[in-house]
Amino acid sequence: MANTYRVLDKVHLQDEEEFVDILEDKRHCSDLRFAFRTFSPPPYKGAPACSSAELNQAVLESQYLRYVINEVALEMGSSVEEVRDEACGIMREMSQNLQLRFIRLMGFVVRKVFKRIFSAIYVNMERLQALQQATQECPVILMPNHRSYIDFLVVSYILFNYDIPLPVIAAGIPLAGMTIVGEMLRRSGAFFIRRAIGSDKLYWAVLSEYVRTIVRKGFAPLEFFVEGLRSRTLKSLPPKLGMMNMILEPFFKGEVYDVTLLPISISYDRVLEESLLAHELLGVPKPRESTAGLLKASRVLQENYGCMHVNFGRPLSARRLCEGKINRCQYNLTPRDLPQKPNAEAQACGSWLAHMIVRLQEEGALTSPWSLMACVLLQVPTAALTEEGLLFHQLTERTLWLRKLALDFRAHLNWPEKVPDSDVMSSTVALHRSVVYRKAGRVYLTRNDELEQKHSMEEDMMRTAAALLMLASYRNQCLHVFVRPALLALAMSVTKSTRKDELLTCFCFLQEVFSNEFVFIPGQSSQDFEEACSLLHKCKAVHVGQWEVTNSDTQPEVLSFLQELLKPFIESYQLMFRFLCEERDCVFREKDFLSGVRTLATKLIVSGELHTYEALSSDMQKNVLSSLRRLGAITKITTSQNNEYKVNKSAVRRTGDMLAGRIPPQIVQAAPDARL
Amino acid sequence: MASNSSGDESSRHQTARHRLSVIAGHLQRPTDRNAALLAVDCKAQGSQPNVNTSDRGEGRTVPRRRQEIMKWNGWGYSDSRFLFNKKGQAEFTGNRYRLSGMIIPGLKDWMEGTFGANLQHKTQATPVLNTSAVQPPTLNEAFVEELKSTGIPFSHEAEDRVFRAHGHCLHEIFALREGKIGRVPDMVVWPNCHNDVVKIVELACKHNVCLIPYGGGTSVSSALECPPEETRSIVSLDTSQMNRILWIDEKNLTAHVESGIVGQDLERLLNESGYCTGHEPDSMEFSSLGGWVATRASGMKKNIYGNIEDLVIHIKMVTPRGVIEKSCQGPRMSTGPDIHHFILGSEGTLGVVTEVTIKIRPMPEYQKYGSVVFPNFEQGVACLREVARQRCAPASIRLMDNEQFKFGHALKPQVSSIFTSFLDGLKKFYITKFKGFDPNRLCVATLLFEGPREKVLQHEKQVYDIAAKFGGLAAGEDNGQRGYMLTFVIAYLRDLGMDYYVIGESFETSVPWDRVLDICRNVKARIIRECKDKGVQFPPLSTCRVTQTYDAGACVYFYFAFNYRGLSDPVHVYEQVEHAAREEILANGGSLSHHHGVGKLRKEWMRETVSNVGVGMLKSVKDYVDPNNIFGNRNLL
């Protein structure tokens, strides 16, 4: 535990670093010259370079895979050759084929595009030197957060720029299916992983051996998104642990001395996919990744997306972090090549690390003025935004107040210096005219969706919803700054108590309920609580005694702001709890739940009973289901094909009551996490 | 109350008596020595034929007063040491070794380059033992009295006692050089034969005296350290005078030998009769047969002759419960767990090994050294693995990593002729330029073949053919022979290092084949990282070699040394790094020890190494054999 703190402290203490715009000095030099620059990364000391063909061969010939192939052949009753061919097939589908000339081509294209759509790409250069050093010492794992399709292009582009070995990248299989583009990505170092692997033993074996071999050989950094998916809500996602376990295993088994983990926080002023995401959340299906679709989307390139910050974190030694958390001797008694499920200790260690990386990504993220404005705007009644508009100077005032609070909470702000605040505000609003616009000193919600021409009540609401969900997403970008104090503020209002122990219990309960919304490092609730106390204390919102936390009257707006910040979550959760309890049947299908909740929410919004549109977000709806599953209030019926759940209404009601403060919260023993 | 006061009184009496005896001891020193001289040699047991009739002391290496020929605060013979002469060139003194009297031109540069050492910065060791720094002996008067009557020689001179209070761990030698003396044995006894030992052990039991057996004194596991918490009188039982070959059985090819004989004497005496044991641990000049048994020693040529457990046929050990031995000399028995295995590796906690019947072999007709250069360590290990797979390992095969290869290079003596140096240059050119080996990656295996000439040549070809498959190039007999010669002088080198702020040590492990490369890389890296973390100013020397091959794995030796200038407590730093390195070894599937033993240095890991039940088993044996902890060196458990 002490360990975590040390790591986190370091991050807190880091002074503001110098960010350099990598587009700036390059704007003058020709794209072609850039693409043909000499690329000479320093070699890895541990082992010689390894071509992708050699890598594939090493995987296919590994003892481990041979063993699994035999096992699968025996189970399926097919011949070893057949299974082996199948494995080769999987390999072909999966494997990357990193080639420098394609990187050059990509570099050329990407540079052209970036220069057009971004006003700047800021990178902290000093860390890149540390990274370059680290790539020579031991295998490096690049772990960026995932907010946009272009995330990995950006990372590779930067590494190419600074003579750092290019990474091989874990990507989703749909990308591989795109004509030409798939092959281009493959040749730029992407390897492709199927989405639903389930219990396909052979696939798991090929994938895990492929990943482990990359780590063991160490010739190139491995890049993967620990969140597993692109976040539709711009909020961190609870990490997926499968890849994490795969990359740690070579270290646990002593096959490499150490593994360097490098969190990367990519922050966009404006995300390319913003409206796409909002519609997806409202149930409009995501367009299939296809080359045609990509070309269609090229109108995206006509717009300006402001700046982008790529904050490379401090290289972390997995060895140091795992010290005392794992007994590596456990691998001594079985051959290391045999398939072995990671045991509870190793899994806990992997999970802890993965969560910590997410936390570090959050801490490295830069909070934009727009994100703070989104917080403010969402606390204004919707009608005010759509009808009479919000006074611009009011928005400015509130945003500046929030900026101070964010700084108190140790946020990394990307607030342009030496520019008058009013200019920052207006340029930000101008950049985000897809969401809000300014007219006559007032700010309104933008609702001009070109695709929709008719203006039925329903559609009108959907357009408002889309804009508000975009706004919510941008608010989510900075939610991690406020979430701990906000949960404490919420606990104070829920329990109406000042006793620390009661507040802690409620705090833990809230963490548990919202564990799919906000990422917390497992087993660290009391540290989180302490952190919340000290932050609120720092901004003079509360007095913290040895046994008590009391409201201070000097800064009442802090607590009310924080409580208001989480209100959409509380309201939406309560709504869905209510929906489940009012349902006649005890068994429901996920599909029906989603549409049912959407109908109910729409009805209540129209009637003015529900104030938030976020209940319409499919992401939040799914999170409620996961949360209730964890709390044991609903159970998935495993025999059913179409995602059926059995609901325990009294448990759901009780959770709702606890959330509303009607009964004191109890910490529920959550079911073990099975997100492997 | 009464009993209490009487107790007080008796204890006061005791203290007084003790003071008296101490004073008497100081006064009596000459008499003691006389007594020692008068001591009667054991008569050779009548029932046993005494084949080797050579007289005691004649041709034997180790005198009772070891300090007469050996360093009291360093390794080996007093006359042999490395030093930098007036010209600043390294030189090895004396005339005992092939390297003796030679100039080693490369050593200075190597030391400066590797450690950042500087000839200007020297630390002098305390030249002579300051006897007043040694605690006066705590003698058990009654024990001493009865011992005297047996006529077994003993001493409580400070020099004798200090000499037997340590092995050759870094911290032990470092403390001696600084003149720091901790708890030392209170007296030293020199039994001359098995029966003497029986008498001593009986007396020790009778008077509750702590016995610590002492053989060659080459322990590197803190096994000889006196437990500081021991309040009884500690008696060091030095077996060095029990050094006769009692008989040689040429029909069965065995020899019956007293346990105190040191390796070089045993081998030389057997050679006189045309035999050898073939057991050659690196410490064989000084380590004793009894010590080998007590620590499960391993010899360089175990591939032909086996390790000590394969060599012994019969062991006689004196314990507080009496003498343990088998009734016959059958080559293998199924009579329950082998009681020899309670003795092998018991590290002096159960009793004193007095006599051993050991296998002997006719001396090899032909010996040939050899060496192979590999482009890198990985290829070298792969080759050794293949040699082990084909079970065609020569008498010895060792693989040095690149750092050690460079070190070996630095120890090349000055060549006399231009021709040799020209040849060396040519060789180097061929390997690095023509064959494209990277001088910073290549590594060397040294080989020793033994047997009938025909077979040796055949065997040699087989091994070189395998090596060629892994990119190995034969690199000549000379390199091989020098490699083995160096194992004997390398221990002297540590003393030179210590003169210039460099401290170091070696430690070993055994590990399955598939982990050899990983353990080598990880442990070396761990050492470097730990040194950095602990504030060591210069990168340390962190190197390894594979020294033995087995069917299922190998023995790996790590060498580690660093320049400690700027550190306030270098020994502590050293110990922390060694501790971390051992943790790393265990985490990588290595064993706690291949042949050095556990002693007190590694006993914290015994439980996880042999499991709770295992420790319980060992404990119960100890409890039965030695309930009063007479053999109280507290090793192992």
Side-chain angles (χ1 to χ4, degrees), chain A residues 253-257 319-320 323 328-329 331-332 336, chain B residues 514-515 518 521-522 525-526 529 533 584 586 588-589:
Chain A
K253 289 186 170 176
E255 293 164 328
V256 295
Y257 176 69
R319 171 179 275 266
R320 260 173 223 255
E323 235 167 76
R328 287 183 289 145
C329 294
Y331 300 100
N332 286 354
R336 292 179 296 175
Chain B
D514 70 315
R515 289 172 176 269
D518 292 330
R521 178 191 56 239
N522 292 350
R526 179 77 182 264
R529 194 199 92 183
D533 288 357
E584 192 63 33
L586 298 177
N588 282 275

Side-chain angles (χ1 to χ4, degrees), chain B residues 201-430:
Chain B
V201 173
E202 269 170 15
L203 290 180
C205 292
K206 186 171 165 195
H207 300 291
N208 194 21
V209 161
C210 173
L211 285 180
I212 298 186
Y214 182 95
T218 55
S219 142
V220 280
S221 58
S222 299
L224 288 168
E225 250 172 38
C226 296
E229 67 270 31
E230 181 61 68
T231 52
R232 299 172 293 183
S233 179
I234 299 179
V235 175
S236 177
L237 191 154
D238 184 334
T239 58
S240 63
Q241 306 310 303
M242 301 166 38
N243 53 15
R244 289 168 300 178
I245 295 176
L246 296 174
W247 46 255
I248 293 174
D249 178 347
E250 296 187 86
K251 286 188 180 155
N252 294 311
L253 287 180
T254 57
H256 192 64
V257 189
E258 287 184 313
S259 67
I261 194 164
V262 294
Q264 57 168 319
D265 289 350
L266 177 61
E267 224 47 24
R268 194 180 55 246
L269 292 172
L270 284 174
N271 286 174
E272 282 169 14
S273 318
Y275 295 104
C276 67
T277 62
H279 184 69
E280 294 182 15
D282 288 357
S283 61
M284 71 173 287
E285 289 173 283
F286 306 105
S287 59
S288 69
L289 173 58
W292 300 337
V293 171
T295 56
R296 295 182 67 89
S298 169
M300 177 182 104
K301 299 194 288 195
K302 73 98 193 148
N303 292 336
I304 294 184
Y305 300 97
N307 286 318
I308 194 70
E309 68 272 21
D310 312 309
L311 284 165
V312 294
I313 294 293
H314 184 268
I315 306 172
K316 201 189 266 190
M317 177 164 83
V318 182
T319 76
R321 284 273 176 191
V323 176
I324 176 173
E325 61 179 321
K326 289 184 187 174
S327 66
C328 66
Q329 307 203 30
R332 181 181 188 275
M333 303 186 203
S334 173
T335 49
D338 191 339
I339 56 157
H340 279 173
H341 287 281
F342 290 122
I343 300 170
L344 286 155
S346 60
E347 303 194 358
T349 58
L350 300 177
V352 190
V353 176
T354 54
E355 289 170 15
V356 178
T357 308
I358 189 166
K359 289 190 218 169
I360 56 172
R361 300 287 306 163
M363 282 171 68
E365 177 191 310
Y366 187 65
Q367 269 198 336
K368 191 170 183 193
Y369 291 96
S371 64
V372 181
V373 186
F374 291 99
N376 55 49
F377 192 64
E378 289 78 6
Q379 296 279 72
V381 171
C383 172
L384 261 62
R385 206 279 163 265
E386 184 57 30
V387 166
R389 198 197 310 274
Q390 296 192 19
R391 290 200 171 163
C392 64
S396 168
I397 178 165
R398 288 175 172 179
L399 180 74
M400 299 186 270
D401 71 358
N402 181 262
E403 288 84 357
Q404 232 168 87
F405 161 74
K406 288 179 182 162
F407 170 52
H409 218 66
L411 282 172
K412 254 189 178 169
Q414 201 164 34
V415 284
S416 39
S417 76
I418 300 174
F419 181 68
T420 342
S421 77
F422 172 74
L423 267 188
D424 281 349
L426 211 60
K427 254 188 256 165
K428 191 175 161 193
F429 177 82
Y430 176 72

Side-chain angles (χ1 to χ4, degrees), chain A residues 2-139:
Chain A
N3 231 334
T4 340
Y5 250 28
R6 226 167 44 226
V7 174
L8 295 181
D9 274 350
K10 265 187 212 152
V11 175
H12 290 320
L13 292 176
Q14 75 184 4
D15 30 7
E16 292 298 316
E17 285 186 58
E18 198 72 16
F19 278 89
V20 177
D21 177 10
I22 55 164
L23 292 181
E24 184 50 44
D25 56 326
K26 298 286 179 333
R27 285 195 200 268
H28 316 298
C29 129
S30 96
D31 297 337
L32 214 60
R33 243 186 47 214
F34 169 77
F36 284 105
R37 65 187 292 273
T38 35
F39 176 65
S40 51
Y44 176 54
K45 284 179 192 154
C50 155
S51 74
S52 45
E54 283 165 342
L55 177 69
N56 295 358
Q57 199 186 354
V59 173
L60 286 173
E61 283 172 5
S62 70
Q63 200 84 36
Y64 170 78
L65 209 58
R66 256 188 277 167
Y67 185 91
V68 176
I69 286 172
N70 283 335
E71 234 179 30
V72 170
L74 209 63
E75 279 167 24
M76 312 287 278
S78 43
S79 77
V80 172
E81 284 68 38
E82 280 167 15
V83 182
R84 211 184 126 75
D85 285 349
E86 199 184 328
C88 289
I90 295 175
M91 202 62 218
R92 265 194 304 278
E93 173 196 279
M94 182 184 305
S95 67
Q96 53 86 17
N97 185 15
L98 184 60
Q99 288 178 356
L100 189 58
R101 49 204 164 112
F102 272 85
I103 294 291
R104 293 189 189 285
L105 176 62
M106 288 292 273
F108 177 74
V109 175
V110 163
R111 204 166 106 89
K112 272 214 175 306
V113 172
F114 282 180
K115 282 199 304 193
R116 168 176 296 201
I117 63 175
F118 290 113
S119 21
I121 297 179
Y122 289 107
V123 176
N124 52 343
M125 291 279 293
E126 273 167 55
R127 286 290 168 69
L128 284 175
Q129 280 158 16
L131 171 60
Q132 194 187 47
Q133 188 63 37
T135 54
Q136 299 169 51
E137 305 296 336
C138 52

Side-chain angles (χ1 to χ4, degrees), chain A residues 558-665:
Chain A
V558 171
L559 288 185
S560 63
F561 164 79
L562 291 174
Q563 284 155 4
E564 199 64 27
L565 188 66
L566 293 186
K567 211 165 172 189
F569 294 92
I570 299 276
E571 282 192 4
S572 308
Y573 271 55
Q574 289 290 20
L575 171 90
M576 286 180 243
F577 292 166
R578 185 176 135 195
F579 172 80
L580 282 177
C581 292
E582 283 172 0
E583 274 291 279
R584 228 172 300 136
D585 231 348
C586 274
V587 174
F588 65 91
R589 291 197 299 178
E590 184 172 322
K591 220 170 68 190
D592 299 338
F593 171 78
L594 298 185
S595 63
V597 168
R598 193 164 290 140
T599 315
L600 177 65
T602 313
K603 201 178 84 193
L604 293 179
I605 290 170
V606 171
S607 72
E609 261 182 89
L610 184 66
H611 304 289
T612 176
Y613 281 65
E614 290 181 52
L616 294 171
S617 154
S618 60
D619 181 72
M620 193 172 292
Q621 291 156 1
K622 285 175 190 157
N623 285 345
V624 169
L625 289 184
S626 316
S627 171
L628 287 175
R629 271 182 79 188
R630 282 165 62 85
L631 295 169
I634 60 172
T635 39
K636 197 165 187 171
I637 300 169
T638 44
T639 50
S640 155
Q641 291 300 310
N642 22 359
N643 280 338
E644 281 186 317
Y645 294 89
K646 192 172 184 313
V647 61
N648 174 349
K649 286 186 182 175
S650 67
V652 173
R653 198 167 295 123
R654 205 167 52 241
T655 310
D657 286 346
M658 287 192 262
L659 199 56
R662 284 188 287 270
I663 55 173

